[in-house]
């Protein structure tokens, strides 16, 4: 089994940086009320090697440090770290192996997004910001048991059908989000909870007015290619 000492100084330097980034991003999950106690996790894939950094299993967020982050290969085998990696590690690894442009994955149990997941419903696209961020509804993925790569398989197969969405609501479980790095995936998790809450509130007021797909496509194209600093 490989250890971190077997890798080049370049790889070890990136591991140090990514550990710091991933540890800090877990604080954002608390800040945006996306997790409770030890639930949820953030991971980031390295560019210099087929490795990823992920939260240790069952450790409270207040106790997380860069040193406590676990390094694994893309099969989920530990490479460095004193703790066991997250119980979702195999699913994160599966996503990275099968979505080569993805370098960040986040899982939360945020209240409103998880409520939609518990009912097996897509979050309908009734907001221009959803067109911007998700390119349509936030889709529901299949029910899968925790502890293997089965959840990762469900995430990948769902997002292949919704290629503009960085989020999927795994039925009876909760949201998984992806991004070009872990920060992007954390942003997607925060935005998923925001639209889940708003669309839930809209449904209490009456029927949601869904946006036509042609207009969604225009919104998404503008947001991805024109909005912000490029």
């Amino acid at each position: 089994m490989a250890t971190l000492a077997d890798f080049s100084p370049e790889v070890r330097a990136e591991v140090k940086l990514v550990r710091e980034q991933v540890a800090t991003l877990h604080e954002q999950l608390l800040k945006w009320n996306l997790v409770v106690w030890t639930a949820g996790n953030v991971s980031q894939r390295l560019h210099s090697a087929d490795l990823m950094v992920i939260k240790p299993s069952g450790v409270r967020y207040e106790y997380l440090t860069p040193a406590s982050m676990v390094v694994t290969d893309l099969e989920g085998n530990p490479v460095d770290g004193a703790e066991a990696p997250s119980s979702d590690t195999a699913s994160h690894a599966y996503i990275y192996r099968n979505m080569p442009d993805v370098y960040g994955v986040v899982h939360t149990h945020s209240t409103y997004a998880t409520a939609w997941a518990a009912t097996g419903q897509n979050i309908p696209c009734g907001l221009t910001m959803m067109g911007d961020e998700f390119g349509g509804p936030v889709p529901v993925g299949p029910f899968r048991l925790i502890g293997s790569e089965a959840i990762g398989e469900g995430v990948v197969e769902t997002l292949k059908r919704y290629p503009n969405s960085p989020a999927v609501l795994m039925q009876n479980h909760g949201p998984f989000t992806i991004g070009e790095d872990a920060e992007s995936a954390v942003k997607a998790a925060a935005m998923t909870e925001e639209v889940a809450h708003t669309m839930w509130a809209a449904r209490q007021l009456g029927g949601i007015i869904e946006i036509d797909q042609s207009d969604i496509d225009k919104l998404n194209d503008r947001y991805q290619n024109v909005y912000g600093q490029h």
Side-chain angles (χ1 to χ4, degrees), residues 50-52 72-78 89-91 93-94 97 149:
D50 286 336
L51 299 174
M52 68 179 192
T72 78
D73 63 22
L74 296 190
E75 298 291 337
N77 301 307
T89 296
S91 287
Y94 183 90
R97 293 199 311 273
E149 60 186 30

Side-chain angles (χ1 to χ4, degrees), residues 78-102:
V79 171
D80 193 64
E83 310 283 353
S86 165
S87 60
D88 290 308
T89 296
S91 287
H92 285 240
Y94 183 90
I95 294 167
Y96 290 132
R97 293 199 311 273
N98 289 276
M99 302 186 80
D101 293 333
V102 171

